[in-house]
Amino acid sequence: MKYVKDKEWLLENLHDKNVRVVDCRFSLVDPQKGRKEYLQGHIPGAIYFDLEQDLSGKIGEHGGRHPLPTGEDFRHKLESAGISNDTTVIAYDHGEGAFAARFWWLLQYFGHDNVYVLDGGFKNWLETSGPVTTEIPTSKQAVFQLNVRSELLATYAEVKNVVESLNKVLIDSREEKRYLGLEEPIDKKAGHIPGAINKPWMNGLQNSHYLPVHEQLQRFADLDFNQSIIVYCGSGVTAVPNFLALKEAGFEKVKLYVGSFSDWISYEENKINTLI
């Protein structure tokens, strides 16, 4: 796969000075859990990036629960972590794939190509006796030049236009019961953006590993390679594994609606579709 590296690759490159490992473990239920787990043990050389503190911006009236961080804020954090435009970066989470993928997408969006997700995450790393340490690495200040790739981001205005004209494919990446509005454990409203189809993000992984490309192609067999696609979820996190899977499968015109459903429902006038 183009954007996913296995444990063997990381073991071979773990001590390469040009490789930076990023720990993205996080729990939406307990926001402090990921950092605590990092301090209790992590892959040697890994530096911690927190979903809410590092991979998201400030929450406002609009923008969703995990809005896009500013370029300058993210650049500063990358530079403090010793990540330059020449650094090869590999991110991992516990094995869900979503939090590491969020970091991967952000780095891609801000102009960095050599960034990957660790297949299997920390769960597989432990199960296969990968080395673990509690040592916090030090980082030399780096220089990172931003090169924003606006073609990877779908704005609210663009999604609004899609709903009105149906000129692009809109994919809701949440589990089916949330898409149908049968259950909503997080957001204040239930249902999905009108016109969206459902492709649950977790169906692209099995036992914390991304499905191979030919199986991802089967998941998206009803889509046209020439179509423009926008993926969303609740807050722009779990949609990213679908974004990554689509890119791996050869779909080029793919965008992430970072604000996602939590941003959509922040506009009271917006319609919502449900099974009921």
Side-chain angles (χ1 to χ4, degrees), residues 38-232:
Y38 169 78
L39 294 174
Q40 291 168 359
H42 50 265
I43 295 176
I47 189 163
Y48 187 70
F49 270 65
D50 183 281
L51 171 65
E52 295 184 345
Q53 301 301 318
D54 304 316
L55 307 182
S56 305
K58 294 181 180 179
I59 297 176
E61 181 183 1
H62 304 297
R65 287 182 278 106
H66 296 109
L68 191 70
T70 68
E72 285 305 303
D73 283 347
F74 195 60
R75 179 183 64 80
H76 174 72
K77 288 166 182 174
L78 292 173
E79 292 180 340
S80 297
I83 297 172
S84 73
N85 298 85
D86 297 321
T87 307
T88 297
V89 188
I90 183 164
Y92 70 90
D93 49 32
H94 186 64
E96 308 90 342
F99 304 115
R102 167 80 173 208
F103 176 89
W104 169 84
W105 183 88
L106 279 171
L107 211 49
Q108 289 267 335
Y109 173 71
F110 285 118
H112 196 65
D113 286 315
N114 295 324
V115 56
Y116 308 94
V117 172
L118 177 63
D119 199 28
F122 195 67
K123 176 176 176 284
N124 178 68
W125 186 265
L126 287 179
E127 290 174 348
T128 54
S129 303
V132 175
T133 183
T134 57
E135 182 180 349
I136 308 298
T138 56
S139 306
K140 289 185 179 180
Q141 186 76 10
V143 175
F144 189 92
Q145 297 291 332
L146 297 174
N147 180 27
V148 175
R149 293 167 172 161
S150 57
E151 69 273 14
L152 302 184
L153 175 69
T155 64
Y156 166 74
E158 185 174 356
V159 174
K160 185 82 169 176
N161 179 260
V162 170
V163 172
E164 294 171 352
S165 62
L166 297 178
N167 59 351
K168 297 177 183 177
V169 176
L170 192 58
I171 294 178
D172 187 314
S173 304
R174 299 170 301 164
E175 57 188 330
E176 186 180 42
K177 57 188 176 182
R178 292 184 69 191
Y179 167 79
L180 295 175
L182 300 176
E183 180 180 305
E184 182 46 62
I186 303 174
D187 291 309
K188 62 182 180 179
K189 295 181 181 180
H192 60 268
I193 299 174
I197 61 174
N198 190 213
K199 300 282 185 181
W201 70 277
M202 66 288 293
N203 292 348
L205 295 97
Q206 186 174 37
N207 297 325
S208 300
H209 294 277
Y210 276 89
L211 296 177
V213 172
H214 72 276
E215 292 188 41
Q216 301 290 2
L217 280 167
Q218 291 174 10
R219 293 182 61 220
F220 304 121
D222 56 332
L223 303 181
D224 187 329
F225 283 100
N226 295 316
Q227 292 175 306
S228 295
I229 301 169
I230 296 174
V231 295
Y232 78 89

